[in-house]
Amino acid sequence: MKIGFIGLGIMGRPMSKNLIKAGYDLCVCDIVKEAVEDVVACGAEKAATSKEVAEKSDVIITMLPNSPQVREVLTGKDGVLEGIRPGAIVVDMSSIDPNVSIELEKLVREKGAHMIDAPVSGGEPKAVDGTLSIMCGGEQEVYDKVKDILLKMGSSAVLVGKIGSGNMTKLANQIIVAVNIAAMSEAFVLATKAGVDPKNVFEAIKGGLAGSTVLNAKAPMVLNRDFKPGFRIELHIKDLNNAMNAAEAAEMDLPLTKTVLDMMNHLKEEGLEKCDHSALVRYYEEAEHVEVKPL
């Protein structure tokens, strides 16, 4: 089986390398030449266009920043739909607007091919070690054909419903992650301002009910002042904006989501959009004139 992989960014590059390690034959494409050459050096074949990737592949995986990029790669000039073969499967692992997934699946189906949306959670570390959580939307039969491929990039792959359901689940995930990071930041700034070592607070609470994967991953980054991006603030802003759009369509308010989104937009205005989303702590630190670090 030949797999095409389009989008070799922070997440896509290690994900594609894990497929090569698993023995799959890969054809890759990206606008960043250095990223392509890196994956080609690991054994992939280089394609000049998304159309060429589709012409050569049974399964085409896309891992791109947002809805406009996915739409362009699939439907634009020299895009996937110009080269896709009947019976091929598009697996969009980008985090995009669920309504765009539904729209694009119809266009893929018109070509006699299939599509599922399969966004991921776990950030760069889990992309590297192949333990991403993958949330899928689409037909059971199509999902079954690509499940083994997905499990070479993730430790779990769950079909949650029809097309678009994967991205709706990802939005739910991103809301929970964002609010967790905000709560952690608020709590650690409070402890620091009260003269309690935040490192000791982390050690004391991580095994209790407040403990979480988010806390374990992000607290050490805050304490070490390491905001190198595993997941950038600007990408989380994108996801929360998509969540707000989905909520508007459902005629629902998301007060916590809106609050955290406003905080992230404030940090973006200060030039911190490329930082890891754990840098949300900077919003509270600014307000209270403290820095969260071991005392």
Side-chain angles (χ1 to χ4, degrees):
M1 178 184 288
K2 183 91 167 188
I3 299 175
F5 206 110
I6 303 169
L8 304 173
I10 288 176
M11 300 291 288
R13 195 187 305 198
M15 290 164 67
S16 64
K17 289 181 179 180
N18 283 333
L19 291 175
I20 295 170
K21 290 176 187 175
Y24 287 104
D25 187 11
L26 245 66
C27 178
V28 301
C29 182
D30 193 273
I31 59 174
V32 179
K33 181 180 177 180
E34 184 270 334
V36 173
E37 296 302 330
D38 180 36
V39 180
V40 167
C42 295
E45 176 186 355
K46 176 169 60 174
T49 64
S50 299
K51 176 184 177 181
E52 183 183 346
V53 170
E55 288 172 339
K56 296 180 175 180
S57 304
D58 304 297
V59 174
I60 303 106
I61 297 173
T62 51
M63 188 61 176
L64 299 159
N66 203 357
S67 306
Q69 291 82 11
V70 178
R71 184 183 281 111
E72 176 63 23
V73 161
L74 263 64
T75 68
K77 186 179 185 302
D78 290 324
V80 168
L81 293 185
E82 289 188 8
I84 198 166
R85 301 183 290 199
I89 299 173
V90 175
V91 181
D92 179 35
M93 304 190 76
S94 320
S95 296
I96 68 173
D97 186 325
N99 293 314
V100 175
S101 296
I102 294 168
E103 169 198 331
L104 294 175
E105 190 272 341
K106 291 178 182 176
L107 299 177
V108 170
R109 198 171 354 116
E110 288 173 2
K111 294 287 186 177
H114 312 281
M115 176 177 168
I116 66 170
D117 60 313
V120 306
S121 178
E124 183 183 14
K126 290 185 177 291
V128 170
D129 62 22
T131 59
L132 293 164
S133 296
I134 306 173
M135 301 147 265
C136 305
E139 297 176 0
Q140 182 74 50
E141 182 180 355
V142 179
Y143 165 78
D144 289 341
K145 289 179 180 178
V146 298
K147 183 178 179 181
D148 287 345
I149 296 172
L150 297 176
L151 290 176
K152 297 301 185 294
M153 297 177 283
S155 57
S156 68
V158 178
L159 181 66
V160 294
K162 61 186 179 180
I163 190 74
S165 298
N167 272 302
M168 188 60 73
T169 303
K170 177 61 186 287
L171 295 183
N173 180 88
Q174 294 303 83
I175 290 171
I176 293 170
V177 171
V179 173
N180 263 258
I181 294 174
M184 175 194 76
S185 300
E186 190 168 287
F188 281 4
V189 167
L190 172 62
T192 301
K193 195 163 187 183
V196 181
D197 192 324
K199 184 176 185 296
N200 293 341
V201 173
F202 171 55
E203 293 297 330
I205 69 174
K206 67 181 182 180
L209 194 58
S212 68
T213 301
V214 172
L215 183 69
N216 288 339
K218 301 304 175 180
M221 296 180 72
V222 170
L223 293 169
N224 293 325
R225 314 306 296 172
D226 174 17
F227 300 120
K228 178 184 175 183
F231 191 76
R232 301 192 302 273
I233 285 174
E234 62 185 351
L235 292 178
H236 214 142
I237 288 173
K238 176 262 296 185
D239 288 340
L240 296 185
N241 277 324
N242 282 337
M244 296 298 290
N245 291 337
E248 183 178 356
E251 299 181 344
M252 176 183 173
D253 291 328
L254 300 178
L256 289 176
T257 302
K258 184 180 184 305
T259 297
V260 181
L261 178 57
D262 288 344
M263 294 176 186
M264 289 185 174
N265 276 321
H266 174 80
L267 294 177
K268 179 180 178 180
E269 290 171 3
E270 296 197 335
L272 299 177
E273 70 274 14
K274 303 292 184 186
C275 292
D276 186 78
H277 51 180
S278 59
L280 188 60
V281 73
R282 298 279 294 273
Y283 177 89
Y284 289 95
E285 290 176 336
E286 266 185 35
E288 299 302 329
H289 308 291
V290 298
E291 186 176 276
V292 174
K293 59 184 179 181
L295 299 180

